[in-house]
Structures are given as C-alpha cells and as structure tokens.
Amino acid sequence: MDVIALDDPTDPQIRGWHAVLAAVHAAEPDGEPTPQPHQTAARLLGAEQGSRQRLWAVRSGAEMIGVASLRLPGEPGADRPGEIDIHVHPDHRRRGMASGLLAVAADALRADGRTSVIAQVLARPAAVGFLEAHGFRLVLTLQGLLLRLPDLPPGRVDTLLASGPSGYELVRWCGVVPDEYADALAKAKHAMADLAEYEGAPWDADRVREMAEMVAKRGDDLYTVAAVQDGAIAGFTEIVVPADGAGRAAQYDTAVAPEHRGRRLGIWVKAAMLTWLAGERPEVTEIETDNSGDNAHMLAVNEEIGFRRERESREYLASADDLPSS
Ligand SMILES: CC(C)(COP(=O)(O)OP(=O)(O)OC[C@H]1O[C@@H](n2cnc3c(N)ncnc32)[C@H](O)[C@@H]1OP(=O)(O)O)[C@@H](O)C(=O)NCCC(=O)NCCS
C-alpha cells in the first residue's frame, strides 16, 4: 500500500479527496448536510490560523480510496495534541488502509515533537473498533443536538427571555469582542473547564480576538450575547452563522461563571440570542450544538430550550508512543 503525502494538493487530488468524503457520507448519513466540494477545498488548502496540517492519501489505480489529515496546533513541540481524521471509502474497508495512514501520520506527529493525538468521531462500530484497536482511549462523549426553530412553540423564547434574573444587563456584539469586554470574556471562557483541560493554551484577550478573526476570515458571522454584572461577564453564548450554511447555524461556546450558576443565566443568554437572530438572520432555521455527555446541566438547558438529541460523537486520545510506525 502506497501512502502519498499531499503537501500542496492539486485540483484533481482535492476532487479525489472529496469523492472519498462524499462516499462515506452517502453510505453512513450522519444528519449533517452533504459535504460540498468547495468546503473540502477550503479545508485542504488552508490550515486554521495558528496551526499547520499534513495530508495523506491512498490510491487504488487513479482513484483515491483513503485519506488522512493531521492538524498540528501551535509551534512544533507545542504541548498540545495533534488532531487526526481518517476516512476510507466504504468499498475498501478492512484491508489495512486506515492503519497504514495512521502509521504515516504517527511518524509525522512524533517528528513534530508531539506526545499525543486526538480523534473526534461519530460513535459508530467502525470508528470505535479502529481507534480502540490502535491504543486510543475514550476521553469525552459529546451529544450532538439540533434545534429546529420552526418547531418551537410560539412565545416560548419570549417567556424564557422575560423570566431572566435581575441584577444583570444583556450586551451583544457581532464579530470581535469590543475592547471593554475583551478581558472579561477571556475570563468567562475559563468557565468552560471541561474543554480547557486538554486544549492547553489559556484564554486571554488576544486569543479571544484571534478566534473571532478566524471566523470572519472564513466569511462566517460570529454573534455573542453576554450577561454582565459590574463589568464582569457572568455568562455568555456564541453562535456562528456560516456564509453558506443553508439555514443551519452552529452553537459555539456557552458558559456561566461558577459564582453565577443556578440563576438560569444560560437559558437567558440563549433566549436573548434566539430573539436577536430571528430579527437579524431570519434565514437561520436550525442551530446545531455538541454537549459533553457528562455536562448534565448544559444538556438540560439545551433540552429546555428545545434542542433534540441527534447523535453521539466521541473524542479519543492516544499517546504518540503507542501508535504504529510506517
Ligand atoms: C474507521 C475507518 C477509518 C477504518 O478504516 P479501515 O481501512 O477499514 O481500517 P483498517 O482496515 O486499517 O482496520 C484496522 C483494524 O481496526 C479495527 N476495525 C476496523 N473497522 C472495524 C469495524 N467495522 N468494526 C470493528 N473493528 C474495526 C479492526 O481491529 C481492524 O483490524 P482487522 O481488520 O484485522 O480486524 C473507516 O471505517 C472509516 O472511514 N469510517 C468513517 C470515518 C471515521 O469514522 N473515521 C474515524 C477514524 S479517525
């Protein structure tokens, strides 16, 4: 089996890669919209800001049948895990394609001075079986939820908004956080401890701004609603409306600082967000989100708003030393 590195993918290679993703999606629908060729091209041609990516493929004749990407956040040797994603065409499974791709990616991971790698996958037998066979262990279960706005009972959001706690002021902005709230937002992001655990880099005002700039660079719009008390952000929620999301927006972070929990601030900022979006972006009909399976409180907040569980995804972690070599 020949694994080829795609350092600078050509148009035919991008089409081949997309064909693998489209075949996997068709064989195993996941409730997500069908991936579009331009989305694949954008992802292959530009690594996210602050990270590098390596790409590999396996071919059978002229046809691409397996692909792997490795995202390397930060500088070489950074104390953050790489992120691996492997797809094998459904007609070519159980022949060691993914194992071969993983071995090549693991060599690159170690050469970059990394000690670990994560994989985020749908909880399906092939992905789970493959990862567990290669020394990955489960670190996080995520529930994928979807809110269909037309299904919301009339008046539901207004009622939730009107029943907000006293002593807080709602503020909102689109894009990069206004300077006066930048430090406060970074502090509030620490409240998302479950994700911060192995994300490594701490949140500061610059990282908060960078994240918003990255979203804008993709052409997407980031909306933030926050509940403020004495200049501090007690809770906030973020939604991204993709430029080509066909009516589906994505929930980004939502957090309530520990000392402000238990006052229904999470529901309140989310209700304010829905009201704002309805006026500002009426084309948005669905919002998707992932919640950590052990974050019972956030799941309850989302289900009270009207989000419904769609699928389970999982994050697996492996030590670089435990992975195969090519
Ligand atoms: C997961 C996936 C990449 C595996 O690709 P593959 O080329 O069939 O995997 P390999 O042939 O290298 O399998 C190696 C081992 O993984 C395990 N494995 C693979 N598929 C499995 C399945 N369906 N059920 C149980 N174990 C499985 C087995 O131990 C297998 O060894 P064996 O065939 O000798 O029993 C492929 O099914 C896929 O593309 N799934 C959709 C995308 C995805 O979920 N990717 C997650 C990986 S990051």
Side-chain angles (χ1 to χ4, degrees), residues 20 24 28 84-90 92-100 119-122 124-131 133-134:
V20 175
V24 171
E28 300 160 0
I84 183 93
D85 194 20
I86 303 177
H87 286 82
V88 173
H89 192 290
H92 299 272
R93 301 249 171 110
R94 301 306 284 266
R95 292 180 208 164
M97 303 292 162
S99 304
Q120 186 166 333
V121 299
L122 287 177
R124 297 224 164 116
V128 169
F130 171 73
L131 292 171
H134 287 94

Short mmCIF file of all heavy atoms in Angstrom, two decimals, residues 20 24 28 84-90 92-100 119-122 124-131 133-134, ligand 1:
data_model
loop_
_atom_site.label_atom_id
_atom_site.label_comp_id
_atom_site.label_asym_id
_atom_site.label_seq_id
_atom_site.Cartn_x
_atom_site.Cartn_y
_atom_site.Cartn_z
N VAL A 20 -14.03 10.67 -1.67
CA VAL A 20 -13.99 9.73 -0.53
C VAL A 20 -14.96 10.21 0.55
O VAL A 20 -15.79 9.44 1.06
CB VAL A 20 -12.56 9.61 0.05
CG1 VAL A 20 -12.57 8.73 1.30
CG2 VAL A 20 -11.59 9.05 -0.99
N VAL A 24 -18.34 8.21 1.88
CA VAL A 24 -18.54 7.83 3.29
C VAL A 24 -19.85 8.45 3.78
O VAL A 24 -20.66 7.78 4.44
CB VAL A 24 -17.34 8.31 4.16
CG1 VAL A 24 -17.66 8.11 5.64
CG2 VAL A 24 -16.07 7.55 3.78
N GLU A 28 -23.02 6.33 5.13
CA GLU A 28 -23.27 6.44 6.57
C GLU A 28 -23.78 7.83 6.89
O GLU A 28 -23.06 8.64 7.46
CB GLU A 28 -21.97 6.18 7.34
CG GLU A 28 -21.38 4.82 7.08
CD GLU A 28 -19.90 4.73 7.43
OE1 GLU A 28 -19.30 5.72 7.88
OE2 GLU A 28 -19.34 3.64 7.24
N ILE A 84 -6.22 13.97 14.47
CA ILE A 84 -6.19 13.10 13.28
C ILE A 84 -7.60 12.82 12.79
O ILE A 84 -8.54 12.71 13.57
CB ILE A 84 -5.47 11.77 13.63
CG1 ILE A 84 -5.35 10.84 12.42
CG2 ILE A 84 -6.19 11.01 14.74
CD1 ILE A 84 -4.09 10.97 11.70
N ASP A 85 -7.73 12.72 11.48
CA ASP A 85 -9.03 12.43 10.87
C ASP A 85 -8.76 11.51 9.67
O ASP A 85 -7.98 11.88 8.78
CB ASP A 85 -9.65 13.76 10.40
CG ASP A 85 -11.10 13.62 10.07
OD1 ASP A 85 -11.72 12.65 10.52
OD2 ASP A 85 -11.63 14.48 9.33
N ILE A 86 -9.34 10.33 9.68
CA ILE A 86 -9.09 9.35 8.61
C ILE A 86 -10.42 8.91 8.01
O ILE A 86 -11.38 8.66 8.76
CB ILE A 86 -8.34 8.10 9.15
CG1 ILE A 86 -7.04 8.52 9.83
CG2 ILE A 86 -8.08 7.10 8.04
CD1 ILE A 86 -6.27 7.36 10.46
N HIS A 87 -10.49 8.84 6.70
CA HIS A 87 -11.69 8.31 6.04
C HIS A 87 -11.26 7.30 4.99
O HIS A 87 -10.39 7.59 4.17
CB HIS A 87 -12.49 9.43 5.36
CG HIS A 87 -13.24 10.27 6.31
ND1 HIS A 87 -12.66 11.31 7.00
CD2 HIS A 87 -14.53 10.23 6.72
CE1 HIS A 87 -13.57 11.87 7.79
NE2 HIS A 87 -14.72 11.23 7.64
N VAL A 88 -11.93 6.15 4.99
CA VAL A 88 -11.66 5.13 3.97
C VAL A 88 -12.97 4.85 3.22
O VAL A 88 -14.04 4.70 3.85
CB VAL A 88 -11.09 3.84 4.61
CG1 VAL A 88 -10.98 2.72 3.59
CG2 VAL A 88 -9.72 4.14 5.23
N HIS A 89 -12.88 4.80 1.89
CA HIS A 89 -14.06 4.54 1.06
C HIS A 89 -14.73 3.24 1.52
O HIS A 89 -14.03 2.24 1.74
CB HIS A 89 -13.61 4.43 -0.40
CG HIS A 89 -14.75 4.45 -1.36
ND1 HIS A 89 -15.65 3.42 -1.47
CD2 HIS A 89 -15.14 5.39 -2.26
CE1 HIS A 89 -16.54 3.71 -2.39
NE2 HIS A 89 -16.26 4.91 -2.88
N PRO A 90 -16.06 3.23 1.62
CA PRO A 90 -16.76 2.04 2.13
C PRO A 90 -16.46 0.76 1.34
O PRO A 90 -16.53 -0.33 1.90
CB PRO A 90 -18.25 2.42 1.99
CG PRO A 90 -18.27 3.91 1.99
CD PRO A 90 -16.97 4.36 1.39
N HIS A 92 -13.62 -0.23 0.34
CA HIS A 92 -12.22 -0.65 0.50
C HIS A 92 -11.83 -0.81 1.97
O HIS A 92 -10.67 -0.63 2.33
CB HIS A 92 -11.29 0.37 -0.18
CG HIS A 92 -11.53 0.51 -1.65
ND1 HIS A 92 -10.92 -0.27 -2.59
CD2 HIS A 92 -12.38 1.33 -2.33
CE1 HIS A 92 -11.35 0.07 -3.79
NE2 HIS A 92 -12.24 1.03 -3.67
N ARG A 93 -12.80 -1.15 2.79
CA ARG A 93 -12.53 -1.25 4.24
C ARG A 93 -11.92 -2.60 4.61
O ARG A 93 -12.00 -3.55 3.86
CB ARG A 93 -13.85 -1.07 5.00
CG ARG A 93 -14.50 0.29 4.70
CD ARG A 93 -14.48 1.19 5.89
NE ARG A 93 -14.92 2.55 5.54
CZ ARG A 93 -16.06 3.09 5.94
NH1 ARG A 93 -16.89 2.38 6.68
NH2 ARG A 93 -16.34 4.33 5.63
N ARG A 94 -11.38 -2.66 5.82
CA ARG A 94 -10.82 -3.87 6.45
C ARG A 94 -9.67 -4.45 5.63
O ARG A 94 -9.46 -5.66 5.61
CB ARG A 94 -11.90 -4.94 6.69
CG ARG A 94 -13.05 -4.51 7.57
CD ARG A 94 -12.63 -3.96 8.92
NE ARG A 94 -12.23 -4.93 9.91
CZ ARG A 94 -13.03 -5.45 10.82
NH1 ARG A 94 -14.29 -5.09 10.85
NH2 ARG A 94 -12.56 -6.29 11.71
N ARG A 95 -8.93 -3.56 4.96
CA ARG A 95 -7.75 -4.04 4.24
C ARG A 95 -6.51 -3.30 4.72
O ARG A 95 -5.51 -3.19 4.02
CB ARG A 95 -7.91 -3.80 2.74
CG ARG A 95 -9.00 -4.67 2.15
CD ARG A 95 -9.15 -4.40 0.68
NE ARG A 95 -10.52 -4.67 0.28
CZ ARG A 95 -11.06 -4.26 -0.86
NH1 ARG A 95 -10.36 -3.55 -1.71
NH2 ARG A 95 -12.31 -4.54 -1.13
N GLY A 96 -6.62 -2.69 5.89
CA GLY A 96 -5.45 -2.05 6.49
C GLY A 96 -5.15 -0.65 5.98
O GLY A 96 -4.10 -0.08 6.27
N MET A 97 -6.08 -0.06 5.18
CA MET A 97 -5.83 1.30 4.64
C MET A 97 -5.67 2.31 5.77
O MET A 97 -4.71 3.08 5.80
CB MET A 97 -6.99 1.79 3.77
CG MET A 97 -7.33 0.92 2.61
SD MET A 97 -6.03 0.95 1.40
CE MET A 97 -6.46 -0.50 0.49
N ALA A 98 -6.64 2.30 6.68
CA ALA A 98 -6.61 3.31 7.75
C ALA A 98 -5.40 3.09 8.65
O ALA A 98 -4.75 4.05 9.09
CB ALA A 98 -7.90 3.25 8.56
N SER A 99 -5.06 1.82 8.88
CA SER A 99 -3.90 1.53 9.73
C SER A 99 -2.63 2.08 9.10
O SER A 99 -1.77 2.65 9.78
CB SER A 99 -3.75 0.03 9.96
OG SER A 99 -4.95 -0.49 10.50
N GLY A 100 -2.52 1.92 7.76
CA GLY A 100 -1.34 2.44 7.06
C GLY A 100 -1.28 3.95 7.12
O GLY A 100 -0.20 4.54 7.34
N ALA A 119 -8.75 12.13 18.26
CA ALA A 119 -9.61 11.89 17.10
C ALA A 119 -11.04 12.12 17.56
O ALA A 119 -11.45 11.60 18.61
CB ALA A 119 -9.44 10.46 16.60
N GLN A 120 -11.77 12.92 16.82
CA GLN A 120 -13.19 13.12 17.14
C GLN A 120 -14.01 12.39 16.08
O GLN A 120 -13.87 12.66 14.88
CB GLN A 120 -13.54 14.61 17.16
CG GLN A 120 -14.97 14.81 17.63
CD GLN A 120 -15.29 16.26 18.00
OE1 GLN A 120 -14.41 17.01 18.39
NE2 GLN A 120 -16.53 16.64 17.87
N VAL A 121 -14.83 11.43 16.53
CA VAL A 121 -15.54 10.56 15.58
C VAL A 121 -16.99 10.39 16.01
O VAL A 121 -17.34 10.59 17.17
CB VAL A 121 -14.87 9.17 15.51
CG1 VAL A 121 -13.44 9.28 15.03
CG2 VAL A 121 -14.93 8.45 16.86
N LEU A 122 -17.83 9.98 15.07
CA LEU A 122 -19.18 9.57 15.43
C LEU A 122 -19.08 8.21 16.12
O LEU A 122 -18.24 7.38 15.75
CB LEU A 122 -20.06 9.44 14.19
CG LEU A 122 -20.47 10.76 13.55
CD1 LEU A 122 -21.29 10.49 12.30
CD2 LEU A 122 -21.27 11.61 14.53
N ARG A 124 -19.64 5.13 16.08
CA ARG A 124 -20.06 4.03 15.19
C ARG A 124 -19.06 2.88 15.33
O ARG A 124 -17.89 3.11 15.63
CB ARG A 124 -20.04 4.52 13.74
CG ARG A 124 -21.04 5.65 13.52
CD ARG A 124 -21.79 5.42 12.25
NE ARG A 124 -22.98 6.22 12.18
CZ ARG A 124 -23.17 7.18 11.28
NH1 ARG A 124 -22.24 7.44 10.40
NH2 ARG A 124 -24.30 7.84 11.27
N PRO A 125 -19.53 1.64 15.05
CA PRO A 125 -18.66 0.49 15.31
C PRO A 125 -17.30 0.56 14.60
O PRO A 125 -16.28 0.21 15.18
CB PRO A 125 -19.48 -0.70 14.80
CG PRO A 125 -20.91 -0.23 14.82
CD PRO A 125 -20.87 1.25 14.61
N ALA A 126 -17.28 1.03 13.33
CA ALA A 126 -16.00 1.03 12.60
C ALA A 126 -15.00 1.97 13.25
O ALA A 126 -13.85 1.60 13.51
CB ALA A 126 -16.24 1.42 11.14
N ALA A 127 -15.43 3.20 13.54
CA ALA A 127 -14.52 4.18 14.13
C ALA A 127 -14.06 3.73 15.51
O ALA A 127 -12.86 3.75 15.83
CB ALA A 127 -15.21 5.54 14.22
N VAL A 128 -15.01 3.27 16.33
CA VAL A 128 -14.69 2.86 17.69
C VAL A 128 -13.76 1.64 17.65
O VAL A 128 -12.73 1.59 18.34
CB VAL A 128 -16.00 2.55 18.47
CG1 VAL A 128 -15.71 1.87 19.79
CG2 VAL A 128 -16.79 3.85 18.68
N GLY A 129 -14.09 0.66 16.79
CA GLY A 129 -13.27 -0.55 16.68
C GLY A 129 -11.87 -0.22 16.21
O GLY A 129 -10.88 -0.71 16.75
N PHE A 130 -11.79 0.66 15.22
CA PHE A 130 -10.48 1.02 14.67
C PHE A 130 -9.62 1.73 15.72
O PHE A 130 -8.45 1.39 15.93
CB PHE A 130 -10.68 1.92 13.43
CG PHE A 130 -9.40 2.51 12.92
CD1 PHE A 130 -8.48 1.71 12.25
CD2 PHE A 130 -9.10 3.84 13.14
CE1 PHE A 130 -7.28 2.24 11.80
CE2 PHE A 130 -7.90 4.39 12.68
CZ PHE A 130 -6.99 3.58 12.01
N LEU A 131 -10.20 2.72 16.38
CA LEU A 131 -9.41 3.51 17.34
C LEU A 131 -9.00 2.65 18.54
O LEU A 131 -7.85 2.72 18.99
CB LEU A 131 -10.19 4.75 17.78
CG LEU A 131 -10.40 5.78 16.66
CD1 LEU A 131 -11.36 6.87 17.10
CD2 LEU A 131 -9.07 6.40 16.23
N ALA A 133 -8.55 -0.48 18.58
CA ALA A 133 -7.53 -1.46 18.15
C ALA A 133 -6.14 -0.83 18.08
O ALA A 133 -5.14 -1.53 18.01
CB ALA A 133 -7.91 -2.05 16.79
N HIS A 134 -6.10 0.52 18.08
CA HIS A 134 -4.80 1.19 17.94
C HIS A 134 -4.39 1.97 19.18
O HIS A 134 -3.59 2.91 19.09
CB HIS A 134 -4.82 2.11 16.71
CG HIS A 134 -4.79 1.34 15.42
ND1 HIS A 134 -5.93 0.99 14.74
CD2 HIS A 134 -3.76 0.82 14.73
CE1 HIS A 134 -5.59 0.30 13.66
NE2 HIS A 134 -4.28 0.18 13.63
C1 LIG B 1 -12.70 3.81 10.76
C2 LIG B 1 -12.15 3.59 9.34
C3 LIG B 1 -11.21 4.77 9.01
C4 LIG B 1 -11.38 2.25 9.31
O1 LIG B 1 -10.81 2.08 8.02
P1 LIG B 1 -10.25 0.66 7.52
O2 LIG B 1 -9.29 0.90 6.40
O3 LIG B 1 -11.39 -0.26 7.25
O4 LIG B 1 -9.46 0.15 8.81
P2 LIG B 1 -8.32 -0.99 8.85
O5 LIG B 1 -8.55 -1.99 7.76
O6 LIG B 1 -6.98 -0.35 8.90
O7 LIG B 1 -8.68 -1.66 10.27
C5 LIG B 1 -7.70 -1.95 11.25
C6 LIG B 1 -8.38 -2.55 12.47
O8 LIG B 1 -9.34 -1.64 13.03
C7 LIG B 1 -10.46 -2.39 13.57
N1 LIG B 1 -11.67 -2.12 12.78
C8 LIG B 1 -11.78 -1.51 11.58
N2 LIG B 1 -13.08 -1.47 11.17
C9 LIG B 1 -13.80 -2.07 12.13
C10 LIG B 1 -15.18 -2.37 12.29
N3 LIG B 1 -16.09 -2.01 11.34
N4 LIG B 1 -15.59 -2.99 13.42
C11 LIG B 1 -14.70 -3.35 14.37
N5 LIG B 1 -13.36 -3.12 14.27
C12 LIG B 1 -12.92 -2.49 13.17
C13 LIG B 1 -10.07 -3.86 13.41
O9 LIG B 1 -9.33 -4.22 14.57
C14 LIG B 1 -9.17 -3.80 12.19
O10 LIG B 1 -8.31 -4.90 12.09
P3 LIG B 1 -8.85 -6.26 11.37
O11 LIG B 1 -9.48 -5.87 10.08
O12 LIG B 1 -7.61 -7.08 11.19
O13 LIG B 1 -9.84 -6.86 12.31
C15 LIG B 1 -13.30 3.53 8.30
O14 LIG B 1 -14.27 2.60 8.73
C16 LIG B 1 -13.98 4.87 8.03
O15 LIG B 1 -13.58 5.60 7.14
N6 LIG B 1 -15.03 5.23 8.81
C17 LIG B 1 -15.71 6.52 8.67
C18 LIG B 1 -14.81 7.68 9.10
C19 LIG B 1 -14.39 7.54 10.55
O16 LIG B 1 -15.17 7.28 11.43
N7 LIG B 1 -13.08 7.76 10.83
C20 LIG B 1 -12.59 7.64 12.18
C21 LIG B 1 -11.13 7.36 12.23
S1 LIG B 1 -10.24 8.86 12.70
#
